């Protein structure tokens, strides 16, 4: 399947959508120098001339395959410094990325999606894709590097974060993200505990110091979805720590082994609590009958349902 040659002469074209074109293997955008928004399927192996599109603002579905001399490479994105929204699927086995070389000049980038589908040395690849500090929205899928890159919890403008299908055994210290408003943690099947490190608390901050640390200071919505191994959510009782002071909506779905929720949650301004497919929690917080029902009865909207 090929695009008509005439498309290469559409010099003033600003938006191109090639979604659902499953037989399309490559396109040539060399002459589409005014293109601002490009949406493609994440199986399109070659976007020839992508480096020429220096005014591109949206690139959705950039696919870096296992092999091929004629194939997309991360380095092709180096000079696309007007990008505001970028989605990358990385399958390469031996991708070498010089740290920050791809993202360093993308000061306008607000939204980034990184999909790591079995790449070699995923931690090195992730380290090399450190986004600019002004990033506001981030999705990370299928990451299997053990630990996330340190830059993740230094994105102080980040407002929305989704971690999905990542093969990591513990959660990073996301409580350090000062601007985070929405957090989704989905299908991290190896995580057995939400530990206090998730709150971003340093050891010195739990001491007798008079300074107060606020963990997740702007978080409003928090979703935990299909965490099959999750059994415990650790409590933090230090008087020097304020946790999630703006939390208004909490959703726990299909966390079948999770035994209880931490007490600090009932001190937050929760307006909505949704629990589905989590039998221990359903029994513990069941309306009028659960042992802990009294602790949550003040929340205006509560939905607790079985599978």
């Amino acid at each position: 399947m090929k695009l008509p040659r005439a498309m290469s002469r559409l010099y003033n074209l600003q938006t191109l959508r090639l979604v659902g074109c499953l037989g399309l293997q490559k396109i040539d955008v060399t002459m589409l120098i005014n293109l601002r928004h490009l949406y493609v399927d994440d199986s399109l192996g070659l976007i020839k001339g992508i480096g020429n599109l220096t005014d591109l603002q949206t690139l959705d579905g950039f696919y870096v395959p296992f092999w091929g001399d004629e194939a997309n490479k991360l380095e092709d994105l180096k000079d696309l410094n007007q990008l505001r929204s970028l989605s990358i699927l990385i399958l390469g086995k031996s991708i070498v990325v010089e740290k920050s070389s791809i993202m360093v000049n993308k000061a306008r980038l607000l939204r980034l999606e990184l999909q790591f589908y079995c790449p070699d040395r995923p931690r090195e690849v992730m380290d090399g894709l450190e986004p600019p500090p002004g990033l506001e929205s981030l999705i990370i899928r299928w990451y299997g590097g053990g630990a996330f890159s340190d830059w993740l919890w230094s994105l102080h403008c980040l407002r929305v974060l989704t971690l999905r299908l990542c093969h990591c055994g513990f959660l990073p210290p996301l409580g350090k993200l000062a601007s985070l408003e929405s957090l989704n943690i989905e299908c991290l099947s190896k995580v057995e505990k939400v530990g206090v490190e998730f709150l971003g608390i340093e050891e010195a901050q739990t001491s007798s110091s008079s300074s107060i640390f606020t963990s997740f200071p702007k978080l409003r919505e928090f979703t935990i979805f299909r965490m099959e191994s999750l059994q415990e959510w650790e409590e933090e009782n230090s008087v020097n720590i304020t946790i999630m002071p703006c939390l208004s909506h909490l959703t726990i779905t299909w966390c079948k082994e999770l035994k209880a929720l931490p007490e600090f949650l009932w001190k937050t301004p929760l307006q909505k609590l949704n629990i589905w497919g989590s039998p221990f929690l359903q029994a513990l917080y069941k309306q009028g009958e659960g042992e802990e029902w009294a602790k949550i009865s003040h929340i205006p909207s509560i939905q607790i349902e079985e599978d």
Side-chain angles (χ1 to χ4, degrees):
M1 180 178 179
K2 295 183 179 180
L3 296 179
R5 289 185 180 181
M7 284 201 63
S8 64
R9 298 195 293 271
L10 300 177
Y11 308 120
N12 294 317
L13 188 67
Q14 294 194 6
T15 300
L16 177 59
R17 294 179 182 270
L18 298 172
V19 179
C21 304
L22 301 181
L24 192 62
Q25 297 299 313
K26 62 181 179 179
I27 60 173
D28 189 341
V29 297
T30 304
M31 304 302 293
L32 304 182
I33 56 176
N34 289 304
L35 204 61
R36 299 293 189 273
H37 309 284
L38 177 58
Y39 303 87
V40 295
D41 284 318
D42 57 14
S43 58
L44 184 60
L46 176 61
I47 308 176
K48 186 177 180 180
I50 187 75
N52 290 353
L53 307 184
T54 53
D55 289 325
L56 199 65
Q57 297 176 15
T58 303
L59 177 54
D60 190 1
F62 190 74
Y63 168 61
V64 183
F66 278 115
W67 56 74
D69 294 332
E70 282 199 344
N72 296 327
K73 298 177 176 60
L74 287 173
E75 289 76 7
D76 297 338
L77 307 179
K78 188 173 182 179
D79 296 324
L80 305 188
N81 295 328
Q82 301 303 311
L83 281 172
R84 299 185 180 185
S85 179
L86 174 61
S87 175
I88 307 174
L89 173 61
I90 304 167
L91 277 80
K93 282 191 171 181
S94 58
I95 296 171
V96 177
V97 185
E98 181 183 346
K99 188 171 185 180
S100 301
S101 64
I102 306 301
M103 302 291 186
V104 65
N105 293 319
K106 293 177 174 45
R108 297 181 177 223
L109 191 66
L110 298 177
R111 177 189 176 277
L112 177 63
E113 181 173 356
L114 298 175
Q115 302 182 58
F116 298 85
Y117 197 77
C118 300
D120 188 28
R121 295 177 291 175
R123 175 61 187 268
E124 292 182 34
V125 177
M126 189 178 186
D127 285 348
L129 292 173
E130 179 177 351
L135 194 73
E136 294 185 0
S137 177
L138 176 63
I139 299 173
I140 300 176
R141 303 175 192 250
W142 299 321
Y143 176 71
F148 291 93
S149 295
D150 294 347
W151 56 252
L152 176 56
W153 46 93
S154 65
L155 298 173
H156 297 302
C157 294
L158 196 68
R159 296 172 53 246
V160 179
L161 174 62
T162 296
L163 303 178
R164 182 176 296 148
L165 291 163
C166 298
H167 302 288
C168 304
F170 56 90
L171 298 176
L174 301 179
K176 295 181 179 182
L177 295 173
S179 299
L180 194 65
E181 297 176 8
S182 176
L183 175 60
N184 300 285
I185 299 176
E186 305 177 9
C187 305
L188 272 64
S189 60
K190 292 186 177 181
V191 174
E192 297 181 357
K193 179 176 70 173
V194 179
V196 293
E197 67 278 357
F198 171 66
L199 301 176
I201 301 170
E202 305 292 344
E203 186 174 348
Q205 292 165 331
T206 61
S207 66
S208 57
S209 171
S210 59
S211 61
I212 301 295
F213 173 74
T214 302
S215 174
F216 295 100
K218 294 187 178 181
L219 189 67
R220 297 181 181 278
E221 297 185 1
F222 187 15
T223 297
I224 300 178
F225 176 82
R226 200 181 285 277
M227 300 282 280
E228 297 173 355
S229 299
L230 183 61
Q231 301 178 34
E232 180 184 2
W233 189 340
E234 256 184 353
E235 183 67 78
E236 173 51 60
N237 296 312
S238 173
V239 296
N240 299 321
I241 307 298
T242 298
I243 304 171
M244 302 182 186
C246 297
L247 187 67
S248 63
H249 192 171
L250 175 64
T251 299
I252 310 289
T253 304
W254 291 330
C255 297
K256 295 182 180 293
E257 301 301 321
L258 184 58
K259 302 298 189 298
L261 297 175
E263 294 291 321
F264 74 77
L265 287 173
W266 320 135
K267 301 174 185 177
T268 67
L270 265 180
Q271 299 298 303
K272 294 182 180 181
L273 173 64
N274 300 325
I275 298 174
W276 289 299
S278 306
F280 290 108
L281 300 185
Q282 289 161 205
L284 193 61
Y285 302 109
K286 187 175 182 179
Q287 182 174 358
E289 299 179 19
E291 184 179 340
E292 301 291 324
W293 162 252
K295 294 181 179 179
I296 69 168
S297 59
H298 65 283
I299 300 173
S301 177
I302 301 173
Q303 289 188 340
I304 300 178
E305 300 180 10
E306 298 180 2
D307 295 355

